[in-house]
Amino acid sequence: MVLLFSKTLVAQTDSSHMRISLLTCAPGDELYATFGHTAIRIIDSTQHTDYIYNYGTFDFDDPDFYIKFTRGKLDYFLSVQTVPQFMYEYQVENRNVYEQELAVSGDTKRAIVKALSDNMQGANRYYKYDFQYNNCTSRVRDILIQYAGLKVEHPIVPQGTTFRNLLHNYLDRGGKSWSKLGIDLVLGSPVDKKVNIEESMFLPDYLMKGADSALSANQSTLLSKKTLLYTGTRTDEPNRNWSFIVFSVAAILIGSISFIKNKTAQTITRVFDFILLLGTGLIGCLLLFMWFGTDHKSCAANYNLLWALPTHLIAAFAVWKNPPWLRKYFTVCAFLYALVLITWFWLPQQINPALIPVTLLFLARFVQLRKA
């Protein structure tokens, strides 16, 4: 009865002739589409218009696109599309699109439209993308909070959930173990922060879930209805941790060869030592660059640097001549890697478990090399 009254009251105060909806698009197969998408749809019956406002657009033709993207300086911007233009990608890729119509007053609808119109003007269209706090979904969330009074009273994720946990949910559902490893490598400890209710809605599915139970400023339900605008056929992929399996097999193989004393086996082992040290050193340099050389706040304070030591670059070339200082270096590394393994699950950052066999292999090799 209360719900019916609130909807009737909204209808009586709505002279805008507009319908505003939250659109949530399911994840896709490509990495850039792994987390889905969010947009706002506005239908104006007096103007006979039906447009979708999309904060997830950028200029792929920018000659400095890759440099700007890597350094976190790529401008994202708000664009306006017709429904067929927007829906084409999701229909081709068979991805679900949900629509949640807002049950808000005419004044609220006009305020949202004005805010979006202001955002479309000149430099207002552009914004500095931040993975956690300023993305295409969080922008829509903030509009709903500011103008529609979006209020979610009860947590939509379990207590103690972190930003990384929410990312893992998408990656596991998509069967993207290698992408998960790469993301876990690059993103540092800031994404291991526990989310509050508002922060948990920084990704599309969680904003949709929050809107389902949300109240508006007048304590009525925020939504009038929810529909499946397009039904896709895409399903979740099996969650097989291929990265862990491959690294485990490789670690066992390399470790076994290292215990063989003939000359051929020792030469092969030395080549593997060079490759592993070189690769790990390069990863360490990349992590340092992402931390200090870019604007990506999510890449700061990365504890993967405890095992991906940039100094391994020097050690990689030194293994061929085996200078006296190298044994001391491997001794220090052995103690460090042992400490990392002991404290693995208590570090302030969740390290991808696929790296455990790699770290164990390094520890075993360091113990052997310090005696060589």
Side-chain angles (χ1 to χ4, degrees):
M1 183 68 180
V2 175
L3 178 60
L4 177 62
F5 176 76
S6 66
K7 288 183 179 180
T8 302
L9 180 62
V10 169
Q12 291 174 344
T13 59
D14 185 2
S15 59
S16 65
H17 303 288
M18 289 187 290
R19 182 161 69 89
I20 298 182
S21 304
L22 171 67
L23 298 185
T24 303
C25 310
D29 294 323
E30 300 299 328
L31 182 58
Y32 70 85
T34 296
F35 304 104
H37 191 48
T38 300
I40 295 178
R41 181 183 185 182
I42 299 178
I43 300 175
D44 189 331
S45 60
T46 59
Q47 300 294 324
H48 304 290
T49 56
D50 186 354
Y51 291 121
I52 292 175
Y53 289 76
N54 178 7
Y55 277 101
T57 46
F58 50 83
D59 184 8
F60 193 78
D61 294 325
D62 187 327
D64 299 322
F65 173 83
Y66 290 104
I67 295 175
K68 291 180 179 178
F69 180 80
T70 302
R71 297 196 62 198
K73 297 181 180 296
L74 181 66
D75 285 331
Y76 281 63
F77 58 90
L78 175 63
S79 63
V80 179
Q81 298 170 285
T82 64
V83 175
Q85 288 173 335
F86 181 84
M87 293 294 295
Y88 176 77
E89 175 183 354
Y90 304 101
Q91 292 169 341
V92 169
E93 297 180 4
N94 286 312
R95 297 161 60 185
N96 287 342
V97 179
Y98 291 91
E99 181 174 24
Q100 295 165 291
E101 184 179 344
L102 304 186
V104 294
S105 68
D107 287 341
T108 297
K109 292 177 182 178
R110 281 187 281 267
I112 292 175
V113 170
K114 184 178 186 307
L116 291 170
S117 298
D118 290 343
N119 275 184
M120 283 295 298
Q121 303 305 311
N124 293 344
R125 294 180 64 193
Y126 299 91
Y127 68 97
K128 289 297 181 184
Y129 180 89
D130 182 275
F131 190 69
Q132 293 171 258
Y133 300 107
N134 199 19
N135 60 41
C136 57
T137 297
S138 66
R139 284 245 154 182
V140 173
R141 176 202 63 196
D142 294 345
I143 285 176
L144 295 181
I145 290 174
Q146 183 174 354
Y147 299 102
L150 169 68
K151 182 180 180 181
V152 180
E153 295 186 333
H154 302 289
I156 58 177
V157 297
Q159 187 176 5
T161 298
T162 65
F163 285 100
R164 195 183 302 273
N165 294 149
L166 298 179
L167 298 177
H168 284 178
N169 288 340
Y170 282 87
L171 294 163
D172 290 341
R173 281 162 42 196
K176 292 181 168 63
S177 67
W178 291 106
S179 297
K180 182 178 178 179
L181 173 61
I183 287 172
D184 281 345
L185 275 175
V186 174
L187 298 184
S189 56
V191 298
D192 291 276
K193 176 183 178 294
K194 296 177 182 179
V195 297
N196 58 34
I197 294 177
E198 180 179 319
E199 289 170 339
S200 68
M201 295 185 287
F202 86 113
L203 292 174
D205 284 348
Y206 296 99
L207 177 57
M208 179 174 66
K209 186 176 180 181
D212 281 338
S213 61
L215 300 177
S216 62
N218 62 5
Q219 296 298 305
S220 63
T221 54
L222 181 68
L223 304 181
S224 62
K225 64 178 180 179
K226 178 181 180 180
T227 57
L228 185 57
L229 195 62
Y230 179 77
T231 304
T233 58
R234 184 182 181 276
T235 57
D236 292 344
E237 297 293 329
N239 182 25
R240 298 187 179 93
N241 198 345
W242 286 112
S243 54
F244 181 84
I245 295 171
V246 170
F247 284 173
S248 296
V249 172
I252 292 172
L253 179 62
I254 297 171
S256 300
I257 295 174
S258 70
F259 285 99
I260 301 174
K261 299 303 181 182
N262 66 57
K263 187 175 181 179
T264 301
Q266 291 302 302
T267 301
I268 293 174
T269 302
R270 189 61 56 90
V271 171
F272 277 129
D273 288 339
F274 171 76
I275 294 173
L276 289 171
L277 288 167
L278 180 65
T280 307
L282 289 172
I283 291 173
C285 291
L286 172 63
L287 299 185
L288 281 178
F289 170 74
M290 296 301 293
W291 182 352
F292 295 105
T294 75
D295 293 341
H296 294 294
K297 297 178 182 178
S298 302
C299 298
N302 195 329
Y303 281 76
N304 281 298
L305 283 162
L306 289 175
W307 65 268
L309 300 174
T311 52
H312 283 353
L313 273 177
I314 301 172
F317 292 97
V319 293
W320 299 108
K321 294 185 177 181
N322 198 22
W325 62 263
L326 195 57
R327 291 186 182 183
K328 295 179 181 179
Y329 178 80
F330 288 142
T331 299
V332 172
C333 288
F335 280 109
L336 176 60
Y337 275 53
L339 183 61
V340 170
L341 285 167
I342 292 170
T343 60
W344 191 277
F345 297 104
W346 290 275
L347 291 172
Q349 177 177 328
Q350 184 179 348
I351 308 296
N352 193 289
L355 296 169
I356 292 177
V358 177
T359 309
L360 282 169
L361 173 63
F362 267 119
L363 176 58
R365 288 300 299 140
F366 290 148
V367 170
Q368 290 176 304
L369 288 166
R370 65 186 285 267
K371 298 176 181 178

